[in-house]
């Protein structure tokens, strides 16, 4: 006898929202129904394994059938099935799957004009009403009669006893008619169903089968092929691959398989530089397959670039880009995560604040860094290529966290250095090779390596045999600034006026020269007070006549970088110090005229411009510099 029952108020409201308000992602209905079928098979298998032989073992699969004439899609499984009570609880009461929360999300999204949230919130069986005007569910458990559940998704449903030969559930969807807004007919096409299964349910562990059209050569009466003629046949195909690559034993997966998977999945034309299997089984369980591209993605620095890993739950596709799974500095990493601990009934907001997602991100981050350490140790050439492409991002990881990631990342940092030519050096290698008596890790920054190597300050460090890190990227100094030290050894810029490794005797000599030439230094300082904070006798120079240093940790390169930032209206200014080599003939020439205050002041700007040029910087007034230089040459030549 057929029983007619009313949906509960809350279920009715949700049905109305789904049927009338959510159009943008109605294709996920098939994912939801296949996932339910897979769960039903899981439950049957568990029951059969624990029933001591009372429930027979079966070969399980899921079938899809299309009927264009009747406009139906049928999804069948031989899983556990449902009895009458199950139907009422699971299908008659949508609230069982958290509909209150879901309804609030739908209403909120609708108010904001963004109703594309279905893909991030599993809605189970009732998602089918987005495409179906009526749904029949024929189901049978291992014990008891079969039942037919039927509903048109309005305010009621019916349940009655029915005939079914085997255990399991068959769901028949009667598709709505297409209209100007939505094309429902496409779901009756084989290619569309194949595409949806491949996209959302490819890794369901049971075969998903469907009768599909194929064409075979036509044969004559003797069984020979007739050239150029074919005949249409219907053959059953398995639409899904079932076993995900990331669930296989790593030893059973070839590099060719990995590379093909990466290129197909992430639409790249080159093999990945680095591949990484991750399998974690503990308080949180997940598998991941991660890739570092062999080149910079074309849109990595675009505003439209989306970071994130693909997200699966038990092999069922949830989301294409889950940014919650990657820290910003690893946004170039491609891959996916599959965790049985995540429920399909999960919203974007829940993902963003999920402790499970936070834990997975933390673990993924550590696995990637550990893999980079391994590559750095075993294949320096490969790591160097990676560093040229993505090294800035690693340094950004330290800078953007105000040094919070220092301990995690410091041993995968590499730099060019004075003694290493074109090779990279790690901070560990630098420290291990520090000269006897060296007190700090020295660095210097500039626009490019060639310009940096010509800086006059480097001369003294060459003479002492000290190595110097050569920082040629804008992020470098900011990263070093946040780190402060490595393994308890401080970083020091050789262009900072406070960086001064000299003997007591050298300092006494500098103090005496400074006192003897006080008038000269004061005149130079007064003449250059708009551009320079101090003029001093240098301890850094060997052959060069002068150089510029800075105070308080803000270098000329940092000054330039900060002032180039868009929207930075208030310009910063480094405190500059003009340092003069007391052993150079240029200084001795100025000492000779230090009593001629006007002459010293007249040519003070030439010293500053010369120092700027030696630093590879632009000078303020090129025309004035040339004029004064010409005057000096004319005077010299006329003698």
């Amino acid at each position: 006898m057929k029983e007619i029952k009313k949906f509960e108020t809350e279920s009715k409201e949700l049905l109305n929202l789904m049927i009338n308000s959510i159009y943008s992602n109605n294709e996920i209905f098939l994912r939801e129904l296949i996932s339910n079928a897979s769960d039903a098979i899981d439950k049957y298998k568990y029951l059969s394994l624990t029933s001591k032989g009372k429930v027979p073992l079966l070969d399980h699969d899921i079938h899809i059938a299309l009927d264009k004439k009747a406009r139906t899609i049928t999804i069948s499984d031989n899983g556990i099935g449902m009895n009458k009570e199950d139907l009422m609880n699971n299908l008659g009461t949508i609230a069982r799957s958290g509909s209150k929360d879901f309804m609030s999300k739908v209403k909120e999204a609708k108010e904001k004009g963004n109703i594309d949230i279905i893909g991030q919130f599993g809605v189970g069986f009732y998602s089918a009403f987005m495409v179906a005007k009526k749904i029949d569910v024929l189901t049978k458990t291992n014990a008891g009669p079969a039942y037919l559940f039927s509903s048109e998704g309005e305010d009621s449903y019916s349940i009655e006893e029915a005939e079914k030969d085997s255990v399991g559930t068959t769901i028949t969807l009667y598709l709505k008619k297409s209209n100007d807004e939505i094309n429902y007919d496409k779901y009756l096409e084989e290619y569309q169903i194949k595409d949806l299964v491949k996209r959302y349910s490819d890794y369901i562990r049971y075969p998903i089968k469907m009768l599909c059209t194929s064409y075979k050569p036509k044969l004559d009466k003797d069984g020979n092929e007739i050239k150029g003629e074919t005949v249409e046949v219907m053959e059953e195909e398995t639409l899904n691959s079932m076993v995900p690559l990331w669930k296989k034993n790593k030893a059973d997966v070839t590099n060719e398989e990995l590379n093909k998977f990466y290129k197909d999945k992430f639409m790249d034309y080159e093999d990945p530089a680095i591949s990484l299997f991750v399998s974690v089984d503990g308080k949180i369980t997940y598998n991941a397959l991660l890739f570092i591209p062999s080149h910079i993605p074309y849109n990595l620095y675009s505003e439209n670039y989306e970071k994130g890993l693909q997200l699966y739950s038990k092999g069922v596709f949830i989301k294409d880009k889950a940014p919650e799974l990657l820290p910003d500095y690893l946004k170039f990493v491609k891959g996916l995560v599959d965790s049985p601990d995540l429920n399909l009934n999960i919203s974007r907001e829940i993902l963003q604040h999920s402790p499970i997602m936070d834990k997975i991100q933390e673990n993924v981050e550590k696995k990637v860094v550990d893999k980079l350490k391994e590559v750095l140790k075993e294949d320096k050439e490969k790591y160097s290529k990676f560093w040229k492409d993505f090294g800035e991002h690693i340094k950004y990881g330290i800078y953007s966290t105000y040094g919070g990631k220092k301990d995690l990342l410091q041993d995968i940092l590499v730099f060019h250095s004075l003694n290493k030519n074109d090779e990279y050096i790690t901070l560990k290698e630098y420290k291990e090779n520090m000269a006897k008596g060296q007190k700090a890790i020295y660095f210097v920054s500039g626009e490019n390596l060639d310009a940096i190597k010509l800086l006059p300050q480097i001369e003294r460090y060459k003479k002492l045999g000290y190595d110097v890190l050569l920082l040629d990227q804008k992020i470098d100094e900011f990263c070093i600034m946040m780190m402060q030290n490595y393994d308890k050894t401080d970083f020091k810029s050789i262009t900072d006026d406070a960086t001064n490794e000299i003997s007591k005797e050298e300092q006494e000599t500098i103090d005496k020269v400074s006192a003897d030439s006080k008038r000269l230094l004061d005149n130079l300082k007064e003449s250059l007070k708009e551009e320079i904070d101090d003029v001093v006798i240098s301890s850094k120079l060997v052959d060069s006549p002068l150089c510029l240093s800075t105070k308080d940790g803000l270098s000329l390169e940092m000054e330039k970088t900060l002032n180039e930032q868009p929207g930075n209206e208030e310009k910063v200014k480094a405190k500059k110090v003009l340092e003069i080599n007391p052993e150079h003939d240029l200084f001795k020439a100025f000492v000779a005229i230090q009593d001629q205050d006007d002459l010293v002041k007249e040519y003070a700007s030439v010293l500053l411009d010369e120092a700027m040029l030696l630093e590879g910087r632009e000078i303020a007034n090129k025309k004035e510099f040339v004029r004064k230089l010409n005057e000096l040459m004319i005077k010299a030549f006329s003698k």
Side-chain angles (χ1 to χ4, degrees):
M1 178 179 176
K2 183 185 291 188
E3 296 183 46
I4 308 296
K5 296 183 177 293
K6 297 277 186 182
F7 284 119
E8 294 182 5
T9 302
E10 184 181 308
S11 300
K12 184 178 177 182
E13 186 179 352
L14 175 57
L15 267 175
N16 183 60
L17 277 168
M18 293 185 61
I19 295 170
N20 299 308
S21 301
I22 305 171
Y23 298 125
S24 56
N25 203 13
N26 54 34
E27 65 186 24
I28 60 91
F29 79 91
L30 190 61
R31 179 197 81 175
E32 296 294 324
L33 296 181
I34 290 174
S35 296
N36 289 347
S38 176
D39 288 344
I41 294 172
D42 284 343
K43 291 173 183 176
Y44 184 96
K45 287 184 70 175
Y46 177 79
L47 183 64
S48 65
L49 291 170
T50 57
S51 68
K52 298 181 179 179
K54 294 179 182 178
V55 178
L57 291 169
L58 299 174
D59 291 328
H60 292 283
D61 51 25
I62 299 167
H63 282 268
I64 300 174
L66 304 178
D67 188 332
K68 286 188 176 182
K69 187 175 181 180
R71 293 185 61 78
T72 61
I73 303 173
T74 303
I75 298 97
S76 305
D77 67 69
N78 55 349
I80 197 167
M82 290 179 278
N83 58 30
K84 184 177 180 180
E85 185 179 356
D86 293 332
L87 285 170
M88 293 175 64
N89 287 338
N90 296 332
L91 303 189
T93 308
I94 309 172
R96 290 291 175 125
S97 63
S99 62
K100 283 184 179 178
D101 189 23
F102 178 65
M103 278 193 293
S104 68
K105 301 299 181 189
V106 172
K107 288 177 180 177
E108 179 184 339
K110 189 180 178 186
E111 288 170 2
K112 294 179 178 178
N114 172 25
I115 54 177
D116 186 18
I117 67 169
I118 285 289
Q120 287 79 43
F121 201 119
V123 289
F125 169 76
Y126 278 89
S127 63
F129 275 111
M130 291 188 289
V131 299
K133 62 182 181 181
K134 178 186 175 184
I135 301 176
D136 287 342
V137 180
L138 180 61
T139 185
K140 185 179 188 303
T141 63
N142 198 55
Y147 288 92
L148 176 65
F149 170 101
S150 184
S151 177
E152 294 183 2
E154 294 177 351
D155 58 358
S156 64
Y157 60 92
S158 66
I159 297 179
E160 61 183 309
E161 284 196 21
E163 295 296 323
K164 191 176 190 302
D165 295 333
S166 57
V167 67
T169 299
T170 298
I171 299 176
T172 302
L173 310 183
Y174 298 83
L175 291 189
K176 298 175 181 180
K177 288 186 178 180
S178 296
N179 54 49
D180 292 340
E181 293 181 343
I182 309 169
N183 177 19
Y184 297 110
D185 295 352
K186 64 183 180 181
Y187 298 123
L188 293 169
E189 301 294 338
E190 290 176 13
Y191 76 89
Q192 183 71 26
I193 298 301
K194 287 181 177 181
D195 178 69
L196 293 181
V197 170
K198 198 70 180 173
R199 192 185 321 165
Y200 291 108
S201 307
D202 196 35
Y203 305 115
I204 290 290
R205 71 182 75 183
Y206 307 107
I208 302 169
K209 298 179 179 180
M210 184 171 75
L211 277 176
C212 297
T213 305
S214 64
Y215 296 90
K216 291 191 173 182
K218 190 175 182 178
L219 305 179
D220 60 22
K221 61 181 181 179
D222 298 321
N224 299 317
E225 293 184 9
I226 302 175
K227 188 175 181 181
E229 293 190 39
T230 59
V231 61
E232 182 180 301
V233 297
M234 299 296 291
E235 292 185 324
E236 190 171 68
E237 290 184 21
T238 298
L239 307 183
N240 60 323
S241 57
M242 288 178 282
V243 181
L245 195 67
W246 58 89
K247 288 286 187 73
K248 294 182 178 180
N249 190 314
K250 182 180 177 181
D252 297 332
V253 180
T254 66
N255 285 333
E256 288 75 17
E257 286 179 299
L258 268 179
N259 293 341
K260 184 178 186 304
F261 178 88
Y262 167 76
K263 287 187 286 191
D264 291 346
K265 195 79 169 174
F266 301 104
M267 294 177 289
D268 200 347
Y269 58 90
E270 289 187 26
D271 293 340
I274 298 170
S275 304
L276 175 61
F277 272 89
V278 179
S279 180
V280 175
D281 192 358
K283 290 183 179 179
I284 293 176
T285 299
Y286 75 92
N287 292 90
L289 192 51
L290 308 171
F291 302 94
I292 294 176
S294 57
H295 59 96
I296 300 172
Y298 76 94
N299 62 341
L300 184 63
Y301 297 103
S302 162
E303 290 182 0
N304 299 323
Y305 183 83
E306 292 182 82
K307 71 160 186 169
L309 303 176
Q310 290 187 347
L311 185 61
Y312 290 78
S313 176
K314 301 176 185 176
V316 178
F317 178 76
I318 294 178
K319 194 175 182 183
D320 187 47
K321 294 280 177 63
E324 304 84 3
L325 293 171
L326 283 176
D328 283 343
Y329 76 92
L330 291 179
K331 68 178 184 177
F332 55 85
V333 174
K334 307 285 186 182
L336 54 88
V337 166
D338 185 356
S339 174
D341 295 332
L342 290 170
N343 197 304
L344 283 176
N345 296 305
I346 189 164
S347 70
R348 182 182 286 112
E349 288 79 7
I350 292 173
L351 278 176
Q352 288 172 343
H353 300 98
S354 165
I356 294 177
M357 297 289 280
D358 291 342
K359 192 66 179 175
I360 292 176
Q361 186 208 90
E362 181 183 330
N363 194 263
V364 165
E365 178 183 16
K366 187 176 184 304
K367 294 289 185 182
V368 171
V369 173
D370 285 346
K371 181 65 176 181
L372 290 173
K373 286 180 181 177
E374 178 186 316
V375 175
L376 175 59
K377 181 180 178 181
E378 297 178 359
D379 192 338
K380 194 81 172 278
E381 185 177 345
K382 177 188 277 192
Y383 191 83
S384 296
K385 172 64 171 67
F386 157 79
W387 191 256
K388 288 174 184 175
D389 288 339
F390 304 113
E392 284 185 87
H393 295 270
I394 305 300
K395 288 175 278 194
Y396 178 75
I398 293 175
Y399 172 69
S400 63
T401 58
Y402 302 97
K405 301 285 186 184
K406 171 187 170 182
D407 290 342
L408 177 67
L409 302 177
Q410 61 185 358
D411 285 322
I412 60 171
L413 297 176
V414 295
F415 300 93
H416 291 289
S417 79
L418 189 60
N419 295 345
K420 272 286 187 177
N421 295 321
D422 293 330
E423 291 183 30
Y424 285 114
I425 187 173
T426 65
L427 294 175
K428 183 180 179 182
E429 288 170 334
Y430 182 101
K431 188 165 181 185
E432 288 173 347
N433 291 293
M434 282 173 59
K436 186 177 180 181
Q438 185 176 340
K439 299 175 183 177
I441 298 173
Y442 294 107
F443 68 89
V444 62
S445 63
E447 290 194 4
N448 56 68
L449 292 177
D450 290 336
I452 294 172
K453 290 175 182 178
L454 294 175
L455 290 174
Q457 295 93 329
I458 283 182
E459 296 167 357
R460 178 173 177 83
Y461 294 86
K462 285 183 178 178
K463 184 177 179 180
L464 292 171
Y466 292 177
D467 202 358
V468 179
L469 300 179
L470 310 179
L471 312 184
D472 62 336
Q473 293 183 324
K474 296 183 185 300
I475 188 69
D476 288 342
E477 268 193 283
F478 296 95
C479 171
I480 293 292
M481 178 177 64
M482 290 303 173
M483 292 180 67
Q484 297 183 358
N485 62 69
Y486 172 77
D487 192 22
K488 299 180 181 179
T489 302
D490 291 338
F491 292 104
K492 286 190 177 182
S493 170
I494 67 171
T495 62
D496 192 303
D497 75 315
T499 301
N500 194 17
E501 280 201 19
I502 60 174
S503 65
K504 183 178 178 182
E505 291 77 12
E506 287 177 305
Q507 186 62 56
E508 288 175 352
T509 300
I510 287 173
D511 291 342
K512 184 178 185 308
V513 174
S514 299
D516 293 342
S517 54
K518 184 176 185 304
R519 181 172 177 174
L520 170 63
L521 298 178
D522 287 346
N523 275 330
L524 291 172
K525 184 176 179 181
E526 175 62 25
S527 301
L528 301 171
K529 63 183 179 182
E530 297 298 324
E531 295 90 8
I532 294 293
D533 287 87
D534 205 355
V535 179
V536 300
I537 298 301
S538 180
S539 62
K540 295 184 173 73
L541 300 170
V542 177
D543 297 319
S544 296
L546 36 73
C547 70
L548 279 178
S549 59
T550 55
K551 291 177 176 287
D552 301 335
L554 182 64
S555 71
L556 293 176
E557 191 63 21
M558 292 175 76
E559 175 192 73
K560 179 183 177 185
T561 300
L562 290 171
N563 289 334
E564 287 175 344
Q565 299 305 305
N568 188 4
E569 296 178 3
E570 188 175 338
K571 302 300 182 183
V572 299
K573 188 175 181 181
K575 293 183 177 180
K576 302 176 182 67
V577 178
L578 180 63
E579 298 194 23
I580 304 177
N581 184 354
E583 301 298 324
H584 198 278
D585 288 343
L586 180 62
F587 173 73
K588 294 173 183 177
F590 265 86
V591 168
I593 62 164
Q594 70 171 324
D595 294 336
Q596 303 178 50
D597 297 344
D598 291 342
L599 192 58
V600 169
K601 291 178 181 179
E602 172 71 13
Y603 291 106
S605 65
V606 176
L607 293 182
L608 176 59
D609 288 343
E610 185 178 337
M612 291 291 284
L613 289 171
L614 285 170
E615 290 283 340
R617 309 288 166 179
E618 287 290 324
I619 56 178
N621 192 332
K622 296 183 178 69
K623 188 174 181 180
E624 182 65 10
F625 172 73
V626 170
R627 184 187 70 79
K628 290 183 177 180
L629 188 61
N630 286 339
E631 282 183 5
L632 288 171
M633 287 192 291
I634 290 168
K635 288 178 182 178
F637 297 156
S638 62
K639 287 183 180 180

